[in-house]
Amino acid sequence: VSAPAVAAWRRLWPRLEPRMEWLWGGALRLREDVLEFYRQCEQRGGFVRTHVWRLPLCVVTAPELIEDVLVKNHRCFVKSGALRSTQLAFGQGLLTSDRELWRQQRRTIQPAFHSQRLRRYDEQMRSATRRLLASFGDHEVRNIHQDMTDLCFEVLARSLFGEDLPEARRLVAATAEALHAFHHLYAQWI
């Protein structure tokens, strides 16, 4: 692209961007800064209806509305297209499934999330977090994505299975990395 074309585009962009909102919706804001996009949605009242390239998108951040979606009225909602598209890579698990399959899977794991068990998990979460923080050195550069993947794995493995499952850790880390890479690639197409 020539320099004059780039200069012309930069002059036109401020006038063009609001007029093209009907086409791309939240896509450009989402691609620019995902966290800021969701922060703005939260500030707008906990429920925002928008679209990404004309595909409808509802962002729910208010706790009472999240409970409505996930617990009280879950039959009325389906997972996002982005999440459903990961089924080819990750199968039809609780995260990606909908409707009756999701209900069956949810019933299967429901006992693990009973309030008494959740209280027991609290100490395991705190212990795992203390171990992670103790491993930090002064002025050390860390891969926070890897640290959080390891922390989540340790908490889940100890809470759900009562042990660390070291042989599964590499597989879970590779799966998490693949999911992260998929979402990064998907975000570039938004």
Side-chain angles (χ1 to χ4, degrees), residues 5 8 18 22 26 28 31 34 36 39 43 48 50 53 64-65 73 77 117 127 131-132 138 144 155 161 187:
W22 66 270
L28 298 183
R31 184 174 182 189
V34 173
E36 183 58 28
R39 218 175 277 120
Q43 291 169 353
V48 173
T50 185
W53 296 111
E64 64 278 4
L65 295 177
N73 298 305
F77 298 93
R117 283 198 175 174
S127 296
R131 278 191 294 280
L132 174 63
D138 290 339
I144 196 72
V155 168
F161 304 109

Side-chain angles (χ1 to χ4, degrees), residues 1-184:
V1 179
S2 69
V6 170
W9 180 251
R10 286 189 180 144
R11 280 193 314 275
L12 288 173
W13 183 250
R15 290 188 307 243
L16 181 62
E17 185 177 15
R19 292 182 189 150
M20 297 299 288
E21 182 78 15
W22 66 270
L23 175 62
W24 54 63
L28 298 183
R29 291 188 313 261
L30 191 58
R31 184 174 182 189
E32 250 177 49
D33 187 339
V34 173
L35 290 177
E36 183 58 28
F37 174 81
Y38 287 114
R39 218 175 277 120
Q40 288 172 0
C41 289
E42 185 173 24
Q43 291 169 353
R44 290 173 55 190
F47 179 84
V48 173
R49 187 170 192 272
T50 185
H51 64 90
V52 174
W53 296 111
R54 307 300 303 149
L55 296 171
L57 173 68
C58 295
V59 179
V60 181
T61 58
E64 64 278 4
L65 295 177
I66 292 171
E67 182 182 19
D68 275 350
V69 170
L70 296 178
V71 179
K72 295 178 180 175
N73 298 305
H74 59 85
R75 287 177 181 88
C76 301
F77 298 93
V78 294
K79 305 287 171 62
S80 72
L83 197 52
R84 287 193 316 265
S85 69
T86 64
Q87 286 180 352
L88 288 174
F90 299 106
Q92 290 186 312
L94 189 63
L95 181 65
T96 60
S97 64
D98 280 314
R99 307 215 191 281
E100 188 54 36
L101 178 59
W102 177 84
R103 274 190 285 285
Q104 290 170 355
Q105 293 171 342
R106 185 174 177 269
R107 276 189 224 114
T108 300
I109 68 159
Q110 184 85 25
F113 294 95
H114 188 274
S115 60
Q116 291 174 338
R117 283 198 175 174
L118 290 176
R119 282 191 285 278
R120 283 187 293 185
Y121 302 157
D122 178 60
E123 184 50 42
Q124 292 170 338
M125 289 181 226
R126 291 174 191 269
S127 296
T129 302
R130 282 192 287 273
R131 278 191 294 280
L132 174 63
L133 293 174
S135 74
F136 287 9
D138 290 339
H139 309 292
E140 180 182 18
V141 175
R142 302 284 300 210
N143 179 339
I144 196 72
H145 177 65
Q146 184 65 51
D147 286 340
M148 292 296 103
T149 299
D150 289 345
L151 178 65
C152 289
F153 179 80
E154 179 180 345
V155 168
L156 286 171
R158 288 183 187 275
S159 298
L160 298 177
F161 304 109
E163 57 183 287
D164 193 30
L165 302 175
E167 64 282 353
R169 187 176 290 253
R170 280 194 312 257
L171 176 63
V172 170
T175 303
E177 189 59 39
L179 184 59
H180 180 73
F182 172 82
H183 283 281
H184 179 74

